[in-house]
Amino acid sequence: MTAAHSVAVTPRMAEPVHHLSEDLLLDYAAGTLDEAASLVVASHLTLCSACRSELSRLEAIGGALFATMPPMDLSAGALEAALAALESSDLDGLPASASQKHAADDRKASILPRAVQRYLGGDLDTVAWKRLGMGIETAEITLSNSDEAKAGKRSFLLKVPAGKAVPQHTHDGNELVLILQGSYKDEIGTFAKGDVAISDGSIDHRPVAGEGESCICLVATDAPLRLTGPLGAIINLFVRV
Amino acid sequence: MPMIRHCKAYVFPIMDQSTVVIEGIGLSSRSSNRLRQARSHVIRTGSKKKFMTDAHHADSQQLVEWMQRLAGCQDRDAFAGLFAYFAPRIKAYMMRSGSDNAAAEEFAQEAMLMVWHKANSFDASQASVATWVFTIARNKRIDAFRRINRPELDPDDPLLQPAAEPMQDDKVVEDQTARTIAAAMDQLPEEQAVMLRMAFYEDKAHSEIAEETGLPLGTVKSRLRLAMGKLRSLLGDIEL
Ligand SMILES: [Zn+2]
């Protein structure tokens, strides 16, 4: 139903080439993935039907595990208590409908998945970009889980002008990057709209944005990146990227 | 979805004391005993197979029918049937995740209220009832334990990339799928099954499983991958 509805308003884009890892999808399916990474996962799922199918498989496995779990009886009267709670809520109408369509569905699609817009409180035009130098801009996304934020997990948007490079760097922790507009190229390959780049300490790269339009990415990290190129010591600004 | 045809002409008053019939399993009882009797009925009709020997078995066609009656006409007996089957599982899920008895029980009741309120969003062509309820319990656990609203895709997002091969609308996810997965789980080496259960039930990310088991992270990941690979090969080309 939903897919058919979307076909009418959404031109098919090329399927992403670089996908989520099974580790990420499994943690997301099990509900244990941190919030910042979950936001990248949810956004990629919006753009990738292949990963959506894979998630459905993992959730079906979760559902089967759940169904085979040894049940634990509730105390007597639990059902009656639940029914009484239903009675005191608004039971007169039908259960909430799942198919309420947004009036805005027919307007021009944003490059930002709604999962991201929900965090920003609006579309791309509401983003408060902060300049980092060399034309590169970033905008922090405020996570709701303060414990994870305190532990160093962050999410932000990154905008690199067409043809410009991000300085050579590596990652102390893990970094997930989802391309929302434009593309970039590095030692690993070319990443275009919908693609996910998964980096850890083993990757030392210098991504260069593709020509034509600026490259806008959604990033989730659990540690600051570390500059490794000749300019590394100078551009300390980027340590906070 | 053809839900309306399952509707009865009336909706049960809440604390109805009259005799009721739970359609489909032919059970008569007074409402105060409904739940207990539904359970004992279920015990008697349970399959001998290992994955179906628990006392709260209901086949997936029955679960789907209850869901349709709940969505179509807020049928309280259908809700009672779903409650008898799922609430004890949700409670077990929460206790495995570290909740105490009282909290797990309250959580199970609240999750079942969500099942009621979201019944219209259940789509039998997309997932089994057990999978759908699992995702509700999982999201509620994320909300409860980590105080976040899980970031999720919006099915009405204009950006949504349509599936390459559109799903058939009339396909109901068969009982067979859940059984096959359960049977496949039984064939997993214990060390792999344990990891999978820790991942799904105990709210533990890979790194936490590694910490708790004292195994290197790489071992945890490879065992989980082996488990998933094995399940996938056992599941063959079943459409999930
Ligand atoms: Zn993908």
Side-chain angles (χ1 to χ4, degrees):
Chain A
M1 218 157 37
T2 306
H5 170 80
S6 299
V7 170
V9 295
T10 312
R12 271 189 78 79
M13 63 170 215
E15 285 283 337
V17 176
H18 300 281
H19 296 278
L20 298 165
S21 66
E22 188 160 75
D23 292 353
L24 282 166
L25 278 171
L26 181 60
D27 276 354
Y28 186 75
T32 55
L33 192 63
D34 67 71
E35 186 181 10
S38 294
L39 184 56
V40 173
V41 169
S43 299
H44 177 79
L45 289 171
T46 305
L47 302 170
C48 180
S49 65
C51 284
R52 281 206 302 279
S53 310
E54 187 60 24
L55 178 70
S56 296
R57 279 195 183 80
L58 295 173
E59 287 180 336
I61 289 170
L65 285 167
F66 175 70
T68 55
M69 190 160 224
M72 300 185 70
D73 284 327
L74 276 73
S75 49
L79 170 63
E80 286 71 18
L83 285 169
L86 274 175
E87 180 77 335
S88 63
S89 64
D90 53 342
L91 255 193
D92 293 334
L94 283 168
S97 167
S99 52
Q100 286 166 355
K101 296 294 177 198
H102 294 257
D105 270 3
D106 294 326
R107 71 175 181 194
K108 186 177 173 296
S110 164
I111 64 156
L112 297 181
R114 287 210 177 128
V116 176
Q117 291 189 39
R118 218 166 282 137
Y119 276 85
L120 296 169
D123 202 347
L124 202 59
D125 53 4
T126 64
V127 174
W129 293 101
K130 196 178 101 190
R131 288 180 187 180
L132 285 176
M134 298 170 73
I136 301 174
E137 294 174 274
T138 178
E140 194 76 20
I141 291 173
T142 307
L143 301 173
S144 54
N145 186 310
S146 53
D147 292 341
E148 289 177 3
K150 268 180 218 144
K153 297 188 197 266
R154 297 173 56 218
S155 179
F156 55 91
L157 292 171
L158 184 70
K159 183 157 75 174
V160 182
K164 290 285 193 309
V166 175
Q168 186 87 23
H169 65 274
T170 187
H171 306 271
D172 285 330
N174 300 298
E175 184 184 83
L176 288 173
V177 177
L178 171 69
I179 318 297
L180 297 170
Q181 174 188 293
S183 67
Y184 81 76
K185 197 176 197 172
D186 68 3
E187 290 81 345
I188 313 295
T190 300
F191 296 83
K193 181 170 176 169
D195 283 336
V196 183
I198 304 171
S199 313
D200 59 21
S202 68
I203 289 172
D204 190 329
H205 64 164
R206 180 174 172 274
V208 180
E211 297 295 339
E213 58 184 342
S214 57
C215 178
I216 298 180
C217 313
L218 172 67
V219 185
T221 63
D222 54 13
L225 58 77
R226 189 155 44 84
L227 297 180
T228 50
L231 293 174
I234 304 165
I235 315 167
N236 280 326
L237 277 172
F238 286 100
V239 175
R240 279 306 302 154
V241 168
Chain B
M1 271 178 293
M3 283 182 281
I4 300 306
R5 67 165 186 244
H6 295 279
C7 285
K8 294 178 184 174
Y10 57 91
V11 172
F12 283 97
I14 276 281
M15 290 307 192
D16 176 21
Q17 290 300 307
S18 65
T19 300
V20 296
V21 175
I22 298 184
E23 214 176 76
I25 59 174
L27 174 72
S28 288
S29 73
R30 296 187 67 82
S31 62
S32 57
N33 290 325
R34 236 183 271 163
L35 187 53
R36 198 176 321 124
Q37 295 197 8
R39 282 175 183 163
S40 65
H41 173 86
V42 149
I43 292 169
R44 288 197 306 274
T45 56
S47 158
K48 294 271 190 302
K49 289 183 187 168
K50 181 179 174 189
F51 51 86
M52 291 163 64
T53 48
D54 67 73
H56 306 265
H57 176 70
D59 72 44
S60 72
Q61 275 311 318
Q62 175 66 77
L63 295 174
V64 168
E65 193 205 312
W66 280 333
M67 281 306 301
Q68 290 173 335
R69 279 163 49 193
L70 186 57
C73 40
Q74 305 164 64
D75 183 327
R76 281 162 212 279
D77 285 332
F79 182 74
L82 290 163
F83 194 97
Y85 184 78
F86 284 116
R89 287 178 164 81
I90 300 170
K91 181 178 171 182
Y93 173 70
M94 286 310 285
M95 293 196 69
R96 291 278 302 249
S97 303
S99 283
D100 65 27
N101 189 68
E105 190 150 327
E106 194 179 326
F107 181 97
Q109 286 168 307
E110 287 172 9
M112 287 309 298
L113 295 187
M114 292 184 74
V115 166
W116 175 290
H117 287 295
K118 290 179 169 234
N120 271 352
S121 71
F122 171 70
D123 180 349
S125 72
Q126 301 285 323
S128 70
V129 182
T131 296
W132 183 75
V133 174
F134 161 69
T135 60
I136 286 179
R138 173 201 64 193
N139 292 1
K140 194 166 158 44
R141 186 183 73 180
I142 293 171
D143 187 44
F145 281 12
R146 309 165 76 192
R147 303 180 307 283
I148 64 167
N149 277 315
R150 168 188 171 91
E152 291 215 324
L153 74 86
D154 181 337
D156 295 326
D157 195 327
L159 271 184
L160 193 79
Q161 173 75 349
E165 293 167 38
M167 295 254 193
Q168 287 172 278
D169 265 355
D170 56 347
K171 182 169 69 69
V172 170
V173 174
E174 297 293 338
D175 195 22
Q176 190 58 33
T177 304
R179 289 189 202 188
T180 308
I181 291 173
M185 277 295 294
D186 286 345
Q187 292 183 39
L188 285 181
E190 188 56 21
E191 59 173 30
Q192 291 173 21
V194 164
M195 300 268 145
L196 214 49
R197 292 203 175 90
M198 285 180 89
F200 273 105
Y201 297 155
E202 296 181 14
D203 196 27
K204 294 196 169 65
H206 291 65
S207 54
E208 292 169 295
I209 295 175
E211 224 164 82
E212 190 154 310
T213 57
L215 292 166
L217 183 59
T219 308
V220 171
K221 286 190 176 190
S222 65
R223 281 188 192 173
L224 276 167
R225 269 192 212 120
L226 280 170
M228 299 308 295
K230 183 91 184 286
L231 284 184
R232 192 167 298 126
S233 69
L234 288 169
L235 291 171
D237 52 9
I238 289 179
E239 280 278 324
L240 295 183

